[in-house]
Amino acid sequence: MEELDFADKINQKTTIQGIAQNASLGAVLMTDDYTPVYLDGIPEWDSSIAESEIVVTGILRHRSIAPKTTINPKGEVSHGVDSDSYILENPTWVIAP
């Protein structure tokens, strides 16, 4: 499976195809190479769309969507996300043909 490269699409209107899935941080589009692309402002997919192959268009961003993981002086690790995520802002979607 070829890894998708979104670097040249950041901050541009982009169309991506994948599977609609729900994640703890919101609705995602899971690409063929298992890259989750979050949909800004969509907390979760309706059951009629979840697990369907869809095509989503929006402005692609690459930024932090959750606090970073931290370790306190006692060595306790917080929940967090250590890397930036792909997000589609102002998303619109259709079921894939």
Side-chain angles (χ1 to χ4, degrees), residues 1 3 5 7 12 14 18 49 55 58 60-61 68 75 87 91 95:
M1 182 180 317
E3 186 173 331
D5 183 11
Q12 296 179 39
T14 304
I49 296 174
V55 179
L60 186 65
R61 308 288 187 197
K68 301 285 185 201
I87 300 104
I95 301 295

Side-chain angles (χ1 to χ4, degrees), residues 6-46:
F6 294 131
D8 61 339
K9 296 175 173 65
I10 302 297
N11 300 320
Q12 296 179 39
K13 188 173 185 178
T14 304
T15 299
I16 304 171
Q17 186 166 332
I19 304 297
Q21 295 187 336
N22 290 316
S24 60
L25 294 175
V28 296
L29 176 70
M30 189 65 69
T31 65
D32 284 345
D33 72 346
Y34 302 104
T35 299
V37 179
Y38 288 85
L39 277 70
D40 190 46
I42 310 297
E44 68 179 26
W45 291 109
D46 181 86

Side-chain angles (χ1 to χ4, degrees), residues 52-97:
S52 298
E53 187 158 358
I54 61 171
V55 179
V56 183
T57 300
I59 305 298
L60 186 65
R61 308 288 187 197
H62 193 238
R63 61 178 166 79
S64 176
I65 61 172
K68 301 285 185 201
T69 302
T70 60
I71 302 174
N72 71 15
K74 295 180 184 178
E76 299 166 326
V77 180
S78 71
H79 290 281
V81 177
D82 289 332
S83 61
D84 289 345
S85 300
Y86 290 108
I87 300 104
L88 280 171
E89 294 180 349
N90 303 312
T92 59
W93 59 88
V94 296
I95 301 295

